[in-house]
């Protein structure tokens, strides 16, 4: 691309969490609205947006090496070069440094400012280097184009930011304070997603269960109220939400799991560690006991609920015995699937400067033990599902002829062979468990 041209094609590369996937999709829609086309598979794009993640490990370094690779691979005979934009949480945290270190980057845009991409593009095409890491009071959502396309599963960001300030976490600094999107906007976006093909919507937020809003009568409602309203959308078959904080797990939301058929039996409720001293040092504001009590309440109303969580091993000062408590907690819960990470010091967070940082070798060993246990439990959960009849939402074709892939209500990957198409909700019998997926026999196609 010559410097004075608006790009004709784009590619958005998203790293990290599902909220980044959502943001990446919305940026793509915004670019498409400007008449810029997605670059074809395997083709160079005129504009590359790196939608970055800052939550763990050398994420910023990965961005610099990606930039280096794009510049190196770009060898057009006419000497043109792509416009590189860095978006997401690394942009927010290290915008100025990126501009100083990577001359190839022409645009830096934070997660709350990407609705301004079109203006920024015009400036960048005119040869300027532009940075926008504002966190404006008016949210970007109103300025984004309406949703027009969707696959069978869609994300819907309902809440952003975090006020919890866990001592290891960078999110409150990169994504800002907790903000809930208004109920009416969400219902409208959900209806559009359903009209354009979505059968399952996953509500997203860094603290999704901290969402608050008002119903049509102006009465305050929580996430359970929003889920109840969404469940009224006739062609929407499934609702999920992620990620939740134990302290925002209200009675209403727990009850919703027993009352709303469209709310899938799956709860991602990160605990992070299984020891109260560590949880306190993390500023988690819940205890092992209060966490387990919530799980008990949810299981009481929805006995088949699949539980999921996040864990950090090697938080500063974590002793061997304290780590053993994490394994005990895992044994007590019996998770269906989990994410687990080595603690990674994030610049600017309180834990980064705490004494007694844990050596990498110790963290490696702890992570391996934890993951062995979690994998064992995931496999056990899958095996325990065998013989059940359930719905699967078909998401895509499998590798083998006639094979289809989708998800069970408990978010297991399921594969089966037979007459179906993407977007079908089919009834299957789960027949054979693997550690990461389940084979099934097609019984019936419920709806096309
Ligand atoms: N180091 C390791 N893991 C982290 N997470 C957040 N911050 C860090 C960090 N500094 C993990 C937590 C969180 C998930 C999204 O990422 O487990 O729930
Ligand atoms: Fe980070 Fe804690 Fe907020 Fe989750 S609750 S985003 S871990 S500060």
């Amino acid at each position: 691309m010559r410097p004075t041209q608006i790009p004709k094609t784009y590619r958005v590369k998203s790293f990290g969490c599902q909220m980044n996937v959502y943001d990446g999709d919305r940026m793509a829609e915004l670019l498409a609205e400007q008449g810029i086309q997605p670059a074809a598979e395997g083709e160079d794009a005129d504009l590359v947006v790196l939608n970055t993640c800052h939550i763990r490990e050398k994420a910023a370094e990965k961005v610099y090496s990606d930039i280096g690779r794009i510049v190196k691979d770009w060898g057009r005979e006419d000497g043109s070069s792509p416009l590189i934009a860095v978006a997401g949480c690394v942009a927010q945290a290290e915008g100025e440094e990126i501009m100083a270190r990577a001359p190839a980057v022409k645009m830096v845009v934070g997660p709350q400012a990407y609705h301004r991409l079109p203006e920024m593009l015009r400036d960048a095409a005119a040869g300027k280097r532009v940075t926008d890491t504002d966190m404006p009071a008016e949210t970007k959502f109103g300025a984004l184009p309406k949703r027009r396309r969707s696959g069978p599963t869609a994300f819907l960001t309902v809440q952003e930011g975090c006020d919890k300030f866990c001592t290891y976490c960078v999110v409150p600094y990169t994504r800002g304070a907790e903000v809930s999107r208004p109920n009416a906007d969400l219902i409208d976006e959900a209806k559009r997603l359903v009209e354009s093909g979505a059968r399952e919507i996953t509500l997203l937020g860094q603290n999704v269960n901290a969402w608050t809003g008002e119903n049509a009568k102006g009465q305050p409602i929580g996430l359970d109220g929003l889920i109840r309203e969404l469940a009224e959308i006739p062609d929407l078959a499934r609702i999920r939400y992620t990620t939740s904080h134990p302290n925002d797990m209200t009675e209403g939301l727990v009850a919703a799991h027993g009352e709303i058929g469209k709310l899938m039996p799956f709860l991602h409720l990160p605990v992070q560690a299984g020891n109260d001293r560590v949880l306190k040092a993390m500023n988690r504001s819940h205890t092992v006991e209060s966490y387990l009590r919530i799980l008990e309440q949810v299981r009481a109303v929805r006995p088949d609920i699949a539980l999921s969580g996040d864990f950090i091993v090697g938080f500063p000062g974590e002793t061997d015995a304290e780590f053993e408590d994490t394994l005990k907690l895992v044994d007590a819960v019996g998770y269906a699937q989990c994410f687990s990470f080595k603690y990674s010091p994030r610049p600017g967070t309180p834990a980064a400067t705490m004494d007694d940082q844990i050596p990498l070798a110790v963290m490696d060993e702890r992570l391996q033990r934890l993951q062995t246990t979690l994998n064992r439990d995931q496999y056990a959960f899958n095996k325990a599902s065998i013989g059940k009849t359930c719905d699967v939402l078909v998401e895509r074709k499998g590798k083998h002829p006639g094979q289809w892939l989708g998800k069970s209500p408990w978010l297991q990957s399921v594969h089966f062979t037979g007459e179906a198409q993407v977007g079908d909700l089919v009834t299957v019998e789960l027949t054979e468990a693997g550690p990461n997926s389940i084979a099934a026999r097609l019984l019936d196609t419920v709806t096309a």
Side-chain angles (χ1 to χ4, degrees):
M1 198 197 82
R2 303 212 177 275
T4 49
Q5 281 176 350
I6 294 282
K8 291 198 177 61
T9 59
Y10 71 86
R11 175 163 295 119
V12 178
K13 203 171 155 193
S14 287
F15 303 87
C17 67
Q18 290 156 325
M19 304 216 27
N20 257 16
V21 176
Y22 175 91
D23 287 346
D25 287 350
R26 308 291 333 250
M27 282 190 257
E29 288 163 358
L30 194 56
L31 295 171
E33 209 187 42
Q34 306 296 307
I36 309 173
Q37 303 297 321
E41 191 81 39
E43 295 233 323
D44 290 333
D46 296 334
L47 166 67
V48 180
V49 181
L50 298 174
N51 188 23
T52 60
C53 169
H54 201 233
I55 199 129
R56 284 176 296 274
E57 294 305 340
K58 307 187 183 98
E61 287 313 313
K62 222 162 88 195
V63 177
Y64 291 112
S65 67
D66 256 16
I67 295 167
R69 200 170 317 123
I70 294 167
V71 173
K72 190 167 130 283
D73 289 352
W74 193 273
R76 279 192 183 169
E77 283 171 6
D78 64 358
S80 60
S81 60
L83 216 161
I84 302 178
V86 179
C89 291
V90 179
Q92 189 68 38
E94 300 187 13
E96 277 173 34
E97 206 184 319
I98 295 169
M99 279 300 196
R101 269 182 67 180
V105 174
K106 304 298 180 213
M107 294 164 39
V108 164
V109 57
Q112 306 306 349
Y114 65 76
H115 55 298
R116 296 180 183 157
L117 263 175
E119 281 162 57
M120 296 177 74
L121 259 178
R122 278 189 284 279
D123 287 347
K128 290 189 203 153
R129 298 181 80 206
V130 272
T131 299
D132 192 340
T133 48
D134 278 3
M135 293 203 180
E138 97 279 5
T139 83
K140 64 198 171 215
F141 296 105
L144 293 170
K146 302 267 187 229
R147 314 298 300 270
R148 290 210 184 88
R149 269 182 323 156
S150 174
T153 63
F155 291 135
L156 172 56
T157 291
V158 305
Q159 179 279 338
E160 275 196 297
C162 183
D163 298 338
K164 304 286 189 292
F165 289 93
C166 299
T167 52
Y168 51 80
C169 186
V170 82
V171 166
Y173 312 96
T174 57
R175 290 271 174 171
E178 281 175 13
V179 177
S180 296
R181 291 180 65 194
N183 192 17
D185 293 6
L186 296 171
I187 302 292
D188 185 50
E189 192 170 325
K191 283 185 177 158
R192 281 172 184 279
L193 285 168
V194 173
E195 278 161 19
S196 51
R199 318 248 10 225
E200 172 180 300
I201 293 183
T202 301
L203 310 178
L204 297 180
Q206 261 99 26
N207 267 294
V208 70
N209 58 343
W211 183 88
T212 54
E214 282 182 358
N215 64 14
K217 291 187 197 139
Q219 293 155 332
I221 55 170
L223 188 69
D224 53 310
L226 175 63
I227 293 170
R228 269 176 220 283
E229 291 194 17
L230 290 170
E232 300 293 321
I233 301 176
D235 289 333
L236 179 61
R238 294 172 153 196
I239 303 169
R240 303 181 184 276
Y241 62 95
T242 197
T243 283
S244 297
H245 191 287
N247 281 17
D248 293 317
M249 207 62 214
T250 60
E251 269 177 39
L253 188 54
V254 171
H257 276 280
E259 293 165 5
I260 304 173
K262 290 185 181 182
L263 179 58
M264 291 295 97
F266 188 93
L267 175 62
H268 180 67
L269 195 65
V271 62
Q272 314 295 357
N275 174 275
D276 286 344
R277 190 204 65 80
V278 176
L279 288 174
K280 193 146 190 270
M282 289 177 161
N283 194 30
R284 284 293 294 177
S285 64
H286 59 80
T287 61
V288 172
E289 198 200 321
S290 67
Y291 176 80
L292 288 174
R293 209 175 316 128
I294 297 164
L295 299 190
E296 228 171 78
Q297 288 162 357
V298 184
R299 272 183 166 147
V301 296
R302 186 77 213 223
D304 69 335
I305 192 118
L307 297 169
S308 165
D310 292 349
F311 290 91
I312 297 176
V313 302
F315 184 80
E318 183 188 66
T319 64
D320 285 337
E322 287 166 344
F323 169 68
E324 296 291 334
D325 288 342
T326 294
L327 294 178
K328 278 184 209 148
L329 171 68
V330 169
D331 282 341
V333 174
Y335 288 98
Q337 51 171 274
C338 278
F339 301 96
S340 49
F341 313 100
K342 285 181 268 190
Y343 167 72
S344 163
R346 305 284 74 210
T349 59
T353 49
M354 282 180 185
D355 291 339
D356 204 5
Q357 299 281 324
I358 306 296
L360 195 58
V362 176
M363 287 205 271
D364 278 334
E365 201 249 347
R366 286 182 189 169
L367 187 65
Q368 206 175 13
R369 284 184 64 198
L370 176 59
Q371 290 188 339
T372 303
T373 311
L374 291 172
N375 291 344
R376 174 202 71 191
D377 289 354
Q378 180 173 327
Y379 199 7
F381 185 86
N382 287 350
K383 284 191 212 154
S385 311
I386 298 312
K388 279 189 187 173
T389 296
C390 68
D391 291 345
V392 165
L393 179 58
V394 181
E395 292 177 21
R396 58 197 159 93
K397 280 187 173 161
K399 270 191 247 145
H400 306 294
Q403 192 189 45
W404 298 96
L405 306 180
K407 295 278 181 347
S408 76
W410 307 281
L411 207 65
Q412 296 148 304
S413 296
V414 176
H415 52 93
F416 66 91
T417 305
E419 277 300 306
Q421 54 183 345
V422 169
D424 279 353
L425 204 55
V426 298
T427 308
V428 301
E429 184 193 342
L430 303 176
T431 52
E432 203 183 323
N436 301 309
S437 66
I438 300 194
R441 188 164 64 87
L442 180 63
L443 298 178
D444 193 16
T445 302
V446 182
T447 43

